Amino acid sequence: MDKSLQVICMGLMSHFGLIFFIYPERIIASTQKGHWEPILIQCVIFILFLWLYLKGLSYFPKQDIIGILKTLGKAFSFTLLFPVLLYLIITTIELVSAYAEVTNIIFLANTPTWAIITLMILISTYIAVKGIETILRTALLIFCIFFPLILLTLLICFQDVDWHNAFPIMDTGFNFFREPPFYTSFFSFAIVFSFLGFIPKKISYNSKKIMFAVFFLIPFFFLSVYLPLLTFGNETASTLLFPFITTLDKVQLQWLIFDRATLFFALSLVTFIMLLTSLLLWQSSIIMSQYIPGLKQKYHIVVLSVSIFIICLCIPSWQETEKLLWWNTAFRFYILIVLPLIIFLIGVRRKRLS
Amino acid sequence: MRSIMICFKLVLSLCILMPLSGCWDIKDINHRAFPIAMGITKEGEKFKVLLQIPISSEGVQKQTIVKGTGLTILKAVEDIRTNMESSVDLLHIRIIIFDRKLVEEDGMEEPINTFMRIREISSKTLIAICDDNIDSFFLALKKNIEKGINIYDFFEKYAGWTPQISLTRLWHVYRALNSYTQNVAIPMVKSGENTAVTYTGSAVMKKGKLVSKMDPKETLLFNAFHGNSMKGRVEVMEHATIMIVGNTGFHKGELRNHIPYMFSTIRLNVVIQERRGNVSNAIIKKELEKVLANRFDGMLKRFQKQESDVFGLGQYYRNKIPYEELKDWRKKYYPNLEMKLTIHTTIQNEGSIKTITDK
C-alpha cells in the first residue's frame, strides 16, 4: 500500500519542529543583510542531495540502506554506518536537551529540566518501541491536528510587518560562508529525510510526491527568518534568542481566545519534536542491531534512550547545547551530503553492472 | 499470568494520570496576586516599583498599591514578594508606567531590556510615562479603579483610545533601542481632575531617553503618518470643525548627493460637522492642509535637531544607504533631511444640512 502521505507528514512535521526554534536565530547571526541568500543556498543543497538520495534508493527496490551498504562488504558497511549512528545519537541528545531548555525558557519556568527530559524521552521511547508503522500513523494524526494551528499562527504574524526591514536585500560579500552559525543552521535540513532509507520496503512511498512536498516546505524556511526580520529589523532581531517566538509573542488580537498564541504554537512544535526523537531512536536501533545482532530491537531502543537520558542530564546549560550543535557539524554534512552520494554512486555502479 | 499483566498495565496507566493533576510547584489561584499596572521610579540609587493589584472579594472590586525598592527592578519586585502574603505574578501586567524623572536622567534601556529578557512580562504590555509624581498618580488610580475605571482602557483601541494618543508597546520600545533608523514616541499621562488620567502628549525618545515632546495635536499627525486609523477625530479650525473618517499615507525616499529627500502624501477623507460663517469648502480644505503641513514641518525640524527619528523615516533609506553607514543615519543623514509633505483632503460629505454659500 502506498504510504506516501504518512511519510510526507512525518517529514514535514519534523522539519516544522526544527525550523521555528533555532533556525531563524542561526541565520540572522550568520549575516546582516540579504538573509535570503544563505537560506536559498541551503535549500538548493538540501533538495539536490535529497534527490540524489531518493534516486540512489530507487535503484534498490527491495533493499533498505543497510542491505545496500552490505553489498560493499561487512567491514566497509560498518565504517560507513558508524558516523550515521553517531550523528543520530548526538542529534537526539541535542534535540531533547535543546527543546527541554526551550520549554523551560518559554513556558515552564519553574519546572526542573530533568522532569521535561523524562517526559520527552519516555513518550518517544514508547512510540519508538511500537515500531515505524506506529510512528508514521501517529505522524499523520498529529499533523492533521496541529498543521492548521501552525498556518494560523504564521498568518497572524504578518500583523506588524514593515517591508522596509527586508533591506538591504543584496549581500555581495557572501560573508556568511565564514560564519559558524551558517553551518550549524544545516541542523534544520540534515536529519529528517534520512529515515527514508531505513523504512522497510513493505511501506512503499512515491519519491515524486516526496519531492513535491519538499518544495512545499521551502517557503517555511523563509517565513521563519523573514517574519521576525520584517517585524523587528535586523538590528533588533539579532539580539533575540528565539526571534520567531518573540514575534509570535507580540501578536495583538482581540478576538484571539488565548492571551499568548505562542504557547499553543510551541506545544505543537514540541509534539513534533517528540515524534522526531522517536523516529531517530528507531533509526539508530536499526543500525545498532547490525553491531549487536543478538538483542531484540526494543531493548536496543530502551538502552539507547536510557543512555541518552543520562547524557542529557549531564548537559548543564544552553551554551553546552549550542557547542554540541557546532561539534556535530562534520557528521551533519556526512549525513546530508556524503551518505546520499555514496548511495547514489553504488546505485549507478550496480545499474551499469547489471 | 495474563491477568497479572493486565492488572500491572492498568496500575501503570493509572499512575500516568498523576502528573495530569497539575504543573510543577503549583500555587493555588487564591494565593496569587496579579498586578495589572506597574510603576517604576528611582529613589537615589535604588529602583522603586509600585504595583497595582486588584483584589476581588465578594463581588466588590478592591485595590491595593504595594511598593518595593531594590538595586534592580526585579529585586524591588522580590522585595514586594517577600512582604506579601501571596505570590506575585507579573503575567498579567497590562501597563508599565515610568516616572518622567527616571526617563530623563537614566533612560529606559536597562528596565526595557530586563522586561524583554524575562518572559513573565508580555511584550505586548503598554508603556507610558507619568508626568507628575508617580506616588500620587497611583493613589489616584486606586480611587478610580474602585469606580470601575481601568487605566489600560484608556489606551485600548476598542475602548478609550483616540488618535491623539500614541500607542506604544514594550516590543516597540525595545525595537527602537536597537534600531538604526527608528525611534519611538511614548504617551505621557498624569492624573486628571475629573477623569482617571489626563493625556499630556507624547515623549519623543532617543536611546531610551526623553529628548523632546509632542502635544496631542502633533501626535495625531504622527499617527496619520504611520497610517494608523484616525477615525473620529475632530479638528477645530478658524472656520470649521471637521471629522476625519479615513486616512492613507504614501511615502517615498530619495538620496541625492548624500542628502535624503522625502516625498510624503497623506490623504484624508473628512466630513464637515460645524461651520462658522460663510466659507466655501475650498477654503476649509486649503486651511486644513496648511495647518497640518505647518504643524508637521515644525515638529520634524524639532526632532531633526534632537536626532530622534520618531517617524522612522530612516526605514525608507535602508535600501539606499549601505548598511555599514546606516548606523550613522541619525547623525549624518537625518539632520539634513528635506521633507516635502503634501496633504490631500477630500470632503466626503457635509452632513444632513445643505450648504448654500454666496457667490
Side-chain angles (χ1 to χ4, degrees):
Chain A
M1 215 181 113
D2 185 25
K3 293 273 169 63
S4 303
L5 192 63
Q6 293 182 4
V7 172
I8 287 170
C9 283
M10 183 68 221
L12 289 185
M13 211 175 70
S14 316
H15 270 298
F16 285 139
L18 294 174
I19 292 172
F20 290 105
F21 281 122
I22 303 165
Y23 187 67
E25 188 262 335
R26 295 278 106 177
I27 290 291
I28 291 170
S30 67
T31 179
Q32 285 192 318
K33 48 192 176 183
H35 296 79
W36 59 273
E37 291 171 11
I39 308 174
L40 195 68
I41 288 171
Q42 288 178 334
C43 287
V44 169
I45 292 175
F46 172 56
I47 287 179
L48 186 71
F49 284 97
L50 182 64
W51 181 79
L52 273 185
Y53 190 55
L54 285 172
K55 190 83 191 156
L57 286 174
S58 71
Y59 288 124
F60 306 93
K62 286 194 184 65
Q63 277 170 308
D64 63 0
I65 196 164
I66 289 163
I68 298 169
L69 290 176
K70 260 193 186 150
T71 55
L72 297 176
K74 215 165 187 183
F76 203 51
S77 87
F78 277 172
T79 18
L80 283 180
L81 275 177
F82 192 67
V84 180
L85 177 65
L86 221 54
Y87 182 65
L88 291 174
I89 294 175
I90 298 177
T91 309
T92 320
I93 296 169
E94 273 168 15
L95 280 177
V96 172
S97 59
Y99 281 76
E101 202 64 50
V102 165
T103 325
N104 210 295
I105 294 173
I106 295 178
F107 46 93
L108 294 178
N110 294 329
T111 315
T113 333
W114 67 262
I116 305 169
I117 293 175
T118 317
L119 187 76
M120 284 184 75
I121 288 192
L122 214 64
I123 294 174
S124 21
T125 312
Y126 179 71
I127 303 174
V129 164
K130 290 286 169 193
I132 183 71
E133 278 158 340
T134 314
I135 296 177
L136 291 179
R137 252 179 284 136
T138 322
L140 185 63
L141 177 74
I142 292 180
F143 189 82
C144 292
I145 298 171
F146 287 122
F147 186 63
L149 202 74
I150 286 182
L151 278 189
L152 176 80
T153 39
L154 283 174
L155 212 65
I156 56 179
C157 274
F158 275 97
Q159 201 182 38
D160 285 295
V161 159
D162 180 355
W163 296 99
H164 294 105
N165 284 325
F167 296 111
I169 208 149
M170 286 305 289
D171 178 12
T172 43
F174 291 99
N175 285 326
F176 52 84
F177 280 120
R178 260 175 270 153
E179 298 287 334
F182 173 68
Y183 296 102
T184 48
S185 66
F186 274 99
F187 177 72
S188 302
F189 291 93
I191 190 75
V192 176
F193 279 101
S194 70
F195 81 93
L196 288 177
F198 290 87
I199 50 180
K201 286 299 153 179
K202 63 178 176 192
I203 301 171
S204 64
Y205 56 87
N206 186 336
S207 327
K208 261 190 203 142
K209 281 186 192 165
I210 289 176
M211 287 313 285
F212 274 123
V214 170
F215 277 104
F216 171 75
L217 194 65
I218 302 304
F220 292 95
F221 282 101
F222 283 92
L223 279 179
S224 77
V225 176
Y226 268 93
L227 277 174
L229 209 62
L230 292 176
T231 341
F232 286 104
N234 177 52
E235 298 93 275
T236 315
S238 58
T239 63
L240 301 169
L241 184 58
F242 301 110
F244 190 82
I245 300 295
T246 317
T247 314
L248 197 53
D249 259 345
K250 65 116 211 41
V251 166
Q252 174 84 25
L253 282 181
Q254 294 306 340
W255 52 264
L256 206 67
I257 320 156
F258 330 115
D259 193 33
R260 289 188 194 186
T262 324
L263 195 70
F264 292 84
F265 183 77
L267 268 180
S268 52
L269 295 193
V270 169
T271 324
F272 290 0
I273 288 300
M274 276 188 206
L275 210 60
L276 176 63
T277 320
S278 64
L279 185 73
L280 295 181
L281 281 174
W282 175 81
Q283 251 175 289
S284 18
S285 76
I286 284 189
I287 302 179
M288 285 265 283
S289 56
Q290 295 300 306
Y291 292 96
I292 313 161
L295 217 58
K296 262 191 191 168
Q297 204 190 346
K298 59 177 169 187
Y299 294 116
H300 277 297
I301 295 174
V302 173
V303 168
L304 256 178
S305 45
V306 168
S307 35
I308 286 170
F309 176 68
I310 292 167
I311 297 172
C312 282
L313 288 186
C314 298
I315 297 175
S317 69
W318 177 253
Q319 272 174 349
E320 316 292 318
T321 318
E322 281 191 338
K323 259 188 221 157
L324 208 61
L325 266 175
W326 173 235
W327 290 341
N328 208 0
T329 309
F331 293 125
R332 188 170 305 128
F333 283 102
Y334 180 84
I335 206 161
L336 184 70
I337 291 174
V338 181
L339 190 71
L341 264 180
I342 291 170
I343 300 289
F344 182 72
L345 290 177
I346 297 172
V348 169
R349 200 188 68 152
R350 202 176 106 144
K351 206 184 167 195
R352 262 199 216 137
L353 286 180
S354 59
Chain B
M1 191 58 204
R2 232 184 120 204
S3 56
I4 293 174
M5 270 315 273
I6 289 174
C7 276
F8 178 69
K9 277 181 185 169
L10 211 68
V11 171
L12 206 69
S13 39
L14 280 176
C15 284
I16 294 174
L17 281 177
M18 271 199 306
L20 276 182
S21 63
C23 309
W24 207 270
D25 284 347
I26 189 86
K27 265 183 191 152
D28 199 71
I29 191 129
N30 297 332
H31 299 124
R32 291 170 182 236
F34 298 103
I36 49 168
M38 180 193 256
I40 296 166
T41 180
K42 231 172 179 186
E43 273 182 352
E45 272 300 288
K46 282 186 168 176
F47 280 104
K48 182 174 160 198
V49 170
L50 298 98
L51 292 176
Q52 182 195 19
I53 305 173
I55 300 160
S56 175
S57 58
E58 291 165 12
V60 187
Q61 276 271 309
K62 277 190 176 168
Q63 298 290 314
T64 51
I65 307 275
V66 286
K67 297 170 195 176
T69 50
L71 272 175
T72 59
I73 289 172
L74 292 183
K75 194 78 196 61
V77 174
E78 204 54 47
D79 186 35
I80 295 173
R81 263 192 198 129
T82 344
N83 294 328
M84 288 266 296
E85 60 285 1
S86 43
S87 83
V88 177
D89 260 322
L90 302 181
L91 282 167
H92 290 257
I93 287 191
R94 301 284 289 273
I95 183 161
I96 297 173
I97 302 160
F98 284 85
D99 192 30
R100 181 172 178 165
K101 237 181 18 217
L102 169 83
V103 180
E104 274 170 348
E105 285 162 13
D106 296 301
M108 306 165 84
E109 194 165 355
E110 215 177 290
I112 293 290
N113 280 341
T114 312
F115 293 145
M116 282 300 285
R117 189 186 298 275
I118 56 166
R119 290 190 50 87
E120 254 180 289
I121 290 178
S122 160
S123 51
K124 290 178 281 189
T125 316
L126 289 160
I127 303 288
I129 293 173
C130 176
D131 215 356
D132 62 36
N133 187 330
I134 203 157
D135 282 284
S136 54
F137 180 74
F138 265 73
L139 268 180
L141 273 188
K142 184 184 170 187
K143 271 184 215 143
N144 276 303
I145 208 151
E146 275 154 20
K147 293 181 207 151
I149 306 160
N150 266 325
I151 178 167
Y152 55 80
D153 279 343
F154 182 75
F155 294 100
E156 287 297 349
K157 274 198 169 160
Y158 63 82
W161 184 80
T162 53
Q164 284 102 315
I165 302 171
S166 54
L167 200 62
T168 309
R169 298 182 186 278
L170 178 55
W171 68 274
H172 289 130
V173 185
Y174 182 69
R175 181 175 67 181
L177 283 177
N178 292 291
S179 174
Y180 295 158
T181 50
Q182 240 175 331
N183 286 82
V184 76
I186 299 175
M188 295 179 89
V189 288
K190 62 180 187 183
S191 42
E193 271 172 38
N194 37 26
T195 49
V197 280
T198 309
Y199 175 67
T200 61
S202 298
V204 173
M205 311 292 291
K206 181 190 169 189
K207 281 279 155 208
K209 280 193 179 174
L210 191 150
V211 289
S212 185
K213 259 194 89 172
M214 275 193 268
D215 62 30
K217 280 180 179 171
E218 289 173 329
T219 316
L220 171 86
L221 258 178
F222 167 79
N223 280 334
F225 188 84
H226 285 291
N228 280 342
S229 156
M230 309 211 303
K231 210 173 167 176
R233 155 72 187 163
V234 179
E235 175 77 20
V236 188
M237 292 180 301
E238 212 174 302
H239 294 115
T241 303
I242 52 105
M243 183 164 84
I244 299 167
V245 286
N247 72 305
T248 48
F250 175 75
H251 317 286
K252 193 168 165 270
E254 258 175 48
L255 197 70
R256 296 180 203 148
N257 285 331
H258 294 280
I259 293 173
Y261 290 88
M262 187 89 203
F263 303 95
S264 286
T265 316
I266 296 176
R267 284 174 196 283
L268 299 172
N269 283 356
V270 301
V271 172
I272 295 178
Q273 295 195 317
E274 266 184 76
R275 232 181 238 278
R276 286 176 58 200
N278 265 343
V279 280
S280 68
N281 285 358
I283 291 178
I284 295 177
K285 239 167 92 169
K286 221 175 185 174
E287 203 165 83
L288 177 70
E289 282 163 14
K290 209 177 119 193
V291 164
L292 292 182
N294 281 348
R295 194 179 289 163
F296 191 91
D297 274 352
M299 205 163 134
L300 187 68
K301 291 248 162 64
R302 214 164 67 227
F303 301 154
Q304 275 176 316
K305 211 181 272 169
Q306 299 289 348
E307 293 173 7
S308 172
D309 188 1
V310 81
F311 290 102
L313 298 178
Q315 292 289 87
Y316 297 89
Y317 296 91
R318 284 182 87 93
N319 49 348
K320 300 189 172 70
I321 299 172
Y323 194 70
E324 290 72 30
E325 279 180 49
L326 207 61
K327 247 186 255 149
D328 306 322
W329 159 257
R330 291 193 194 102
K331 262 207 186 101
K332 261 169 75 182
Y333 293 92
Y334 181 59
N336 305 325
L337 183 131
E338 298 274 332
M339 181 85 176
K340 302 249 165 3
L341 177 73
T342 339
I343 292 174
H344 282 291
T345 36
T346 314
I347 295 179
Q348 202 170 312
N349 63 55
E350 299 166 40
S352 30
I353 300 180
K354 271 201 275 185
T355 324
I356 300 143
T357 40
D358 310 323
K359 290 281 153 66

